[in-house]
Amino acid sequence: MKAKVPESEQYLSTSNRITGVVVMVIGLIALLDIVLEWRTLGGLVVGSLIGALMVVTYIGLVRPSVTLRPDGLLIRNHVRDHHVPWNKVADADVTDLLRVETESGRRIRCPGVQLVMKDLRKQRVGGRKLSAENSITRADFVVDRIDNHRERHAGTATGEVSTRWAVPELAVLTALVLTALVGQLLR
């Protein structure tokens, strides 16, 4: 029996995601305390600012990822999403972040896959051997998977590179900041 190949593969920075979730849980606890105890315009301002900081944490730490799908590569950066069909992917490499180069020469940086400075220093000085769980090995694995998908799906993929803004996240952030401003003006 053939092994089932997953429809899509998602790669992201686990340490960033864990840090982001911890910060958002702390913010949620603070918001809960404000809602229960501090029901004034000052509480509205502080609650809105804490909510805005939680959204910024989500945008900066939790959102970035790289998803390999049969129709192309979905790169979720901090405030924009890039969809690159496999026939438009020219190359992928890793410096400090994963970079995908399109056929038109455009380079898209992917903060969802990044190298840890500790691993880069170990590699540069040639000291202790890097473990199998390091970020360099993981990033190389992602580059290999991108190359594999590009070879496999380039003949069937069609379309152009598209970029769109992360509208839901930016809308929530804007609403929270405006709520804080209005609350501050009404105080």
Side-chain angles (χ1 to χ4, degrees):
M1 182 171 194
K2 256 175 118 173
K4 185 174 182 179
V5 178
E7 287 293 318
S8 63
E9 303 171 22
Q10 185 176 34
Y11 300 100
L12 44 94
S13 174
T14 306
S15 60
N16 282 357
R17 197 158 273 205
I18 290 170
T19 304
V21 168
V22 168
V23 168
M24 290 184 342
V25 166
I26 292 169
L28 188 62
I29 292 169
L31 275 178
L32 184 62
D33 182 49
I34 288 170
V35 167
L36 294 176
E37 298 293 330
W38 197 12
R39 293 184 211 121
T40 63
L41 281 177
L44 177 67
V45 170
V46 172
S48 297
L49 290 177
I50 290 173
L53 288 174
M54 289 172 59
V55 172
V56 167
T57 300
Y58 173 79
I59 289 172
L61 296 175
V62 177
R63 187 176 192 282
S65 66
V66 177
T67 306
L68 286 62
R69 305 185 307 193
D71 65 333
L73 187 61
L74 176 64
I75 301 164
R76 292 184 69 186
N77 286 345
H78 301 295
V79 293
R80 290 188 291 183
D81 294 339
H82 305 278
H83 181 265
V84 184
W86 291 116
N87 61 335
K88 299 295 181 184
V89 176
D91 192 27
D93 65 345
V94 178
T95 54
D96 57 336
L97 300 172
L98 176 67
R99 296 182 310 178
V100 174
E101 187 171 343
T102 64
E103 285 185 344
S104 63
R106 179 178 172 199
R107 277 202 175 137
I108 302 171
R109 294 173 52 86
C110 314
V113 177
Q114 56 188 337
L115 300 180
V116 179
M117 291 307 296
K118 175 182 72 168
D119 291 339
L120 289 173
R121 282 191 300 269
K122 281 183 185 178
Q123 183 186 38
R124 187 172 49 240
V125 298
R128 292 179 288 163
K129 186 176 179 180
L130 293 170
S131 68
E133 293 289 322
N134 68 41
S135 62
I136 294 171
T137 306
R138 181 170 162 73
D140 287 339
F141 174 76
V142 174
V143 169
D144 289 343
R145 293 300 299 155
I146 289 172
D147 289 339
N148 181 311
H149 274 68
R150 186 181 66 201
E151 291 169 6
R152 188 171 1 143
H153 298 293
T156 60
T158 59
E160 294 297 319
V161 177
S162 63
T163 301
R164 62 183 174 88
W165 291 96
V167 175
E169 291 87 349
L170 294 174
V172 170
L173 181 62
T174 303
L176 288 169
V177 169
L178 288 176
T179 301
L181 286 174
V182 169
Q184 182 64 29
L185 291 174
L186 294 177
R187 275 179 51 175

